[in-house]
Amino acid sequence: MAPDRLDSDSFYVALDASGAVGHVAVSRGPDVLARARLDHRGQHAGALIPALHRSLEDAGVGRDQIAGVVVGEGPGSFTGVRVAAATAKGLARALRVPLWAVSSLAAAAITSWDRGSPVVRYVLFDARADRVYAGCYGMGGRGMQTLVAPHATDLRSVLAAEVPPGAEFVGDGSAKHSAAIQGAGFGVLEEVSADATGDGLIAFLAIQPDTPPVQTLETWEPRYLKPSSAERAPIA
């Protein structure tokens, strides 16, 4: 039976399709060996499996060597999150390996951290117009702490609420609304990547080693956050 925590000598795959860009990563323990990027929103359903096959081939890893699967559970594009979840569940079931579900926002926060001094990252994913998916995380020597839980909202509500001290904004939603965020007195790290969420999913398990895998694959569902009252159109 595969171990229920990240093992440095075992191989893992990570899948995330919550945003406009999707990601696949193959790792040995915490070290990513190969990755693929899915650039076209709306095409993740057809591109995810081929990208996974390419990444496994690039890493020199066979399907029967996979010891676990990590998936971005959202929030984000309903279709993208659903596609990644179904693919990850099918793979974990077929290989009889653990499946870990990790917040896509948390994965993005980790990719913006250089593992140096403690930081606070407020991640915003663009959800069209002034709408965002948001979550804030503190990262340091003791791992990761959720300061603001993932939620669907709008930019005005984010800035009107209490922003954790020292928070710096990252993510495509932060880049899109950087002028408004900076005008409210907060920093935006546009030059810092919070994009390679496949890498971030693996890194999450490395810094949060006690994260339990999904207990029942058949009944598990990703986190489809309900839109705020300000949202009138569905997020595709």
Side-chain angles (χ1 to χ4, degrees), residues 28-221:
R28 182 170 186 171
D31 301 318
V32 174
L33 304 176
R35 59 180 61 83
R37 175 183 167 111
L38 288 63
D39 286 309
H40 303 292
R41 184 192 288 272
Q43 297 181 16
H44 294 344
L48 192 59
I49 292 296
L52 174 59
H53 289 164
R54 289 196 307 274
S55 297
L56 287 170
E57 185 174 320
D58 290 344
V61 176
R63 273 176 49 115
D64 59 348
Q65 294 177 277
I66 297 172
V69 181
V70 196
V71 65
E73 67 173 355
S77 159
F78 178 84
T79 300
V81 172
R82 181 179 59 190
V83 165
T87 302
K89 286 172 68 171
L91 189 60
R93 184 183 295 115
L95 299 177
R96 298 186 178 183
V97 298
L99 170 67
W100 287 271
V102 173
S103 166
S104 301
L105 291 165
I110 292 175
T111 66
S112 73
W113 181 37
D114 63 7
R115 310 295 182 91
S117 59
V119 299
V120 177
R121 296 286 190 254
Y122 210 129
V123 185
L124 302 182
F125 285 171
D126 179 31
R128 300 179 184 175
D130 68 340
R131 296 165 290 159
V132 292
Y133 289 115
C136 188
Y137 304 88
M139 294 168 287
R142 295 185 178 181
M144 186 176 217
Q145 180 182 5
T146 301
L147 304 178
V148 177
H151 61 293
T153 184
D154 57 77
L155 182 66
R156 179 179 297 180
S157 297
V158 170
L159 298 179
E162 183 176 351
V163 175
E168 295 177 292
F169 284 76
V170 297
D172 63 354
S174 299
K176 176 180 178 179
H177 300 292
S178 61
I181 295 169
Q182 290 172 336
F186 303 107
V188 179
L189 301 180
E190 293 186 64
E191 76 281 3
V192 175
S193 173
D195 185 41
T197 50
D199 290 43
L201 294 172
I202 297 294
F204 182 94
L205 292 188
I207 69 172
Q208 300 285 94
D210 294 327
T211 302
V214 170
Q215 295 301 305
T216 308
L217 285 177
E218 290 72 21
T219 59
W220 174 78
E221 293 292 335

Side-chain angles (χ1 to χ4, degrees), residues 14-31:
L15 312 172
D16 185 78
S18 58
V21 177
H23 296 276
V24 174
V26 177
S27 78
R28 182 170 186 171
D31 301 318

